[in-house]
Amino acid sequence: MLEPAYQADVVVVGAGVAGLAAAHRLTSAGVATAVLEAAPCVGGRMATEKVDGFRLDRIGQLLSTAYPELALTPGLDTLVLRPFAPGVLLHSDGRHLRAGAHTGAGSARGALHAVRALASAPRPGAMPRPRTGVSRAVPLSGRRAGAPWQAVPPPRLRAGAPLGTAVDQARLGAALTRLAATPAERLLRRPEAPAAEALAARGLPARTIDGFLRPLLAALLCDPGLTTSSRCADLALRAFAAGRLCLPEGGAETLPELLARTLPPGTVHTGVRVTSVSTTSVTTAEHGEFRCRAVLVATDARTAAELLPGLRVPDFHPVTVLHHTTDEPPPTGASLLLDADRGGPVAHTAVTSAVDPGRAPAGRTLISSTVLGTPPPGVDTAVRMHLSRLYGTSTARWETLAVHHTPEAVPAMRAPHDLRRPVRLLAGLYVCGDHRDTSTVQGALHSAHRAAATILSDLGAAGSMHLADPVPTVPRAA
């Protein structure tokens, strides 16, 4: 039991990744910190369910090895990232095409491939070569007949789809390479518009935008309509071009659990519901008042607005994640698979156990699929039909492990969007979370970084805290 008048320099409300990361920076600076969490465990939306030896993420947001805060956040030193295969795999007209696999920060390979693609562009009227600097066609294999609603249509070949001609692909490769090397602050100074409108003004052909950039950005932003600010979309594409998409080893809960375990003993208190906050105290339902010098509200946006009247509550993107298992893995390996044709409810899917084998028991395969927006009626049946086409195999014998629907999964970042919302509301009262930055793990961690630096400055305890924004190569990817 906690003492009714427990003393701390800073009380952090909420034990998601933002609150825990801020607590790490505060305690590392010698500031006595208490973290209060209403739920029985830490993590918030970064939750992982255990079912029969499987580890199933509830939301399953994609991470990138180019997220700076994964390397800068104290407590994540031992985090292991499991990368997807380079780029993404696009399904278009019954074919799989590799896209975006030749970019990377600090490397000239992307530009070199783009130049080679331009040099080898076919003459007018000539058939395009099957390989280019940006994508590689991989025919589907292993088709098997299934139930009538699962029958896979014969492939329709379309030259250059969905990335366009060799020249189109070279332009795309060069654009991603330039984006990977562009400082984030420069992207934040660009004119702002909804991402869907901004894409049309980038000089890329419509088929490249519709066949690659739209499905990719929808997956990265959890926004199928691409209403997100173009600045946020540019940051997401920059992370994609500069690093590798990845998953944390063991499930999404690994991040918050690792942060919680490496805090000083007694810092985190779960099952404590905060009912009100002020600049010098926090009132709880179970344990009375906590007196302190500063309060940091690090909850989700809606809970933060309940504690801090007047705080804006954004709209949210709903996300539904379905997990299936089978004895025979689809032939896509560790690739993230997107539907360039947008012919069903699945925005992206992957053989998760090929990316992170520890998420499934030995001999079993875990396939995780994400539906964005409001799911259709009979979502599992609709998803199985779509997955049958995407993977080119019957899903009749796949077992459904879980269907997780989260109505307020990701805060919307519609234009105009302030990516650096103030973290100081009053002297002594602060707020952080992905709703104050970008709606990503990087945004949550960076918001915590800003809040901790501000608190330390206000308390006169600022040490070497600074907010550099490099794009390091995270060495812990396995």
Side-chain angles (χ1 to χ4, degrees):
M1 296 292 292
L2 304 178
E3 293 296 331
Y6 184 90
Q7 300 290 329
D9 289 325
V10 179
V11 172
V12 178
V13 182
V17 292
L20 295 169
H24 256 284
R25 294 186 179 279
L26 295 171
T27 57
S28 297
V31 175
T33 303
V35 180
L36 308 182
E37 169 58 49
C41 57
V42 302
R45 285 166 289 160
M46 295 198 72
T48 303
E49 183 182 16
K50 288 85 170 176
V51 177
D52 298 332
F54 293 92
R55 302 178 71 86
L56 314 176
D57 285 351
R58 297 192 66 86
I59 296 179
Q61 277 185 292
L62 302 170
L63 306 185
S64 170
T65 58
Y67 282 172
E69 292 293 344
L70 291 178
L72 296 175
T73 300
L76 294 181
D77 308 70
T78 59
L79 175 67
V80 176
L81 301 176
R82 292 286 184 175
F84 289 89
V88 295
L89 204 59
L90 297 173
H91 177 271
S92 177
D93 279 351
R95 301 168 67 202
H96 285 168
L97 301 100
R98 179 74 56 188
H102 297 298
T103 58
S107 171
R109 285 184 300 169
L112 178 61
H113 280 283
V115 171
R116 286 176 175 172
L118 280 169
S120 61
R123 296 184 302 276
M127 290 297 292
R129 297 184 182 184
R131 295 187 63 187
T132 73
V134 178
S135 66
R136 177 171 59 88
V138 181
L140 289 174
S141 60
R143 282 195 174 88
R144 293 185 296 275
W149 58 268
Q150 292 170 318
V152 181
R156 294 178 289 116
L157 301 181
R158 186 174 60 185
L163 297 179
T165 66
V167 174
D168 297 334
Q169 296 172 48
R171 288 173 179 165
L172 175 62
L176 290 175
T177 300
R178 287 194 304 271
L179 191 60
T182 302
E185 292 305 318
R186 185 182 300 175
L187 297 180
L188 299 183
R189 293 194 295 267
R190 285 182 171 181
E192 188 178 23
E197 294 180 13
L199 284 176
R202 294 295 166 86
L204 294 171
R207 56 186 163 186
T208 303
I209 293 173
D210 292 336
F212 173 57
L213 292 176
R214 276 183 175 272
L216 174 63
L217 281 173
L220 298 178
L221 302 171
C222 296
D223 176 14
L226 295 190
T227 59
T228 296
S229 161
S230 56
R231 294 172 180 172
C232 300
D234 283 343
L235 289 177
L237 283 176
R238 177 180 181 265
F240 171 79
R244 290 273 292 278
L245 296 178
C246 60
L247 299 174
E249 185 179 72
E253 70 176 13
T254 301
L255 266 79
E257 287 188 349
L258 187 58
L259 289 169
R261 284 199 305 268
T262 51
L263 282 168
T267 300
V268 180
H269 308 277
T270 57
V272 180
R273 292 181 295 121
V274 173
T275 57
S276 65
V277 299
S278 72
T279 56
T280 58
S281 68
V282 167
T283 303
T284 70
E286 295 85 0
H287 304 289
E289 185 182 34
F290 287 68
R291 295 199 305 267
C292 55
R293 298 171 63 194
V295 175
L296 173 60
V297 177
T299 64
D300 64 271
R302 191 170 300 282
T303 303
E306 293 172 357
L307 294 173
L308 303 167
L311 204 67
R312 186 184 72 90
V313 179
D315 294 330
F316 296 89
H317 296 304
V319 173
T320 305
V321 179
L322 296 90
H323 299 280
H324 297 92
T325 183
T326 178
D327 293 329
E328 299 182 18
T332 53
S335 298
L336 182 70
L337 177 58
L338 311 179
D339 185 8
D341 298 330
R342 287 179 285 176
V346 177
H348 58 90
T349 182
V351 182
T352 309
S353 54
V355 182
D356 181 6
R359 297 195 184 205
R364 299 292 292 173
T365 297
L366 173 63
I367 299 102
S368 303
S369 309
T370 299
V371 175
L372 303 178
T374 303
V379 61
D380 187 46
T381 299
V383 165
R384 283 173 177 265
M385 292 173 63
H386 197 188
L387 292 178
S388 178
R389 296 193 299 272
L390 291 177
Y391 286 112
T393 187
S394 171
T395 59
R397 300 181 64 183
W398 289 15
E399 176 188 351
T400 303
L401 295 170
V403 179
H404 295 142
H405 177 66
T406 307
E408 297 186 352
V410 179
M413 300 182 288
R414 296 191 176 94
H417 180 74
D418 185 358
L419 282 85
R420 299 292 183 267
R421 294 187 182 279
V423 292
R424 182 199 292 112
L425 304 181
L426 297 169
L429 191 58
Y430 309 83
V431 60
C432 71
D434 59 359
H435 52 96
R436 309 303 292 178
D437 207 280
T438 59
S439 303
T440 61
V441 172
Q442 162 66 19
L445 294 175
H446 190 256
S447 174
H449 194 161
R450 292 194 293 128
T454 303
I455 293 171
L456 291 175
S457 177
D458 290 354
L459 295 182
S464 59
M465 299 267 301
H466 62 282
L467 291 176
D469 188 23
V471 184
T473 299
V474 180
R476 300 183 298 277

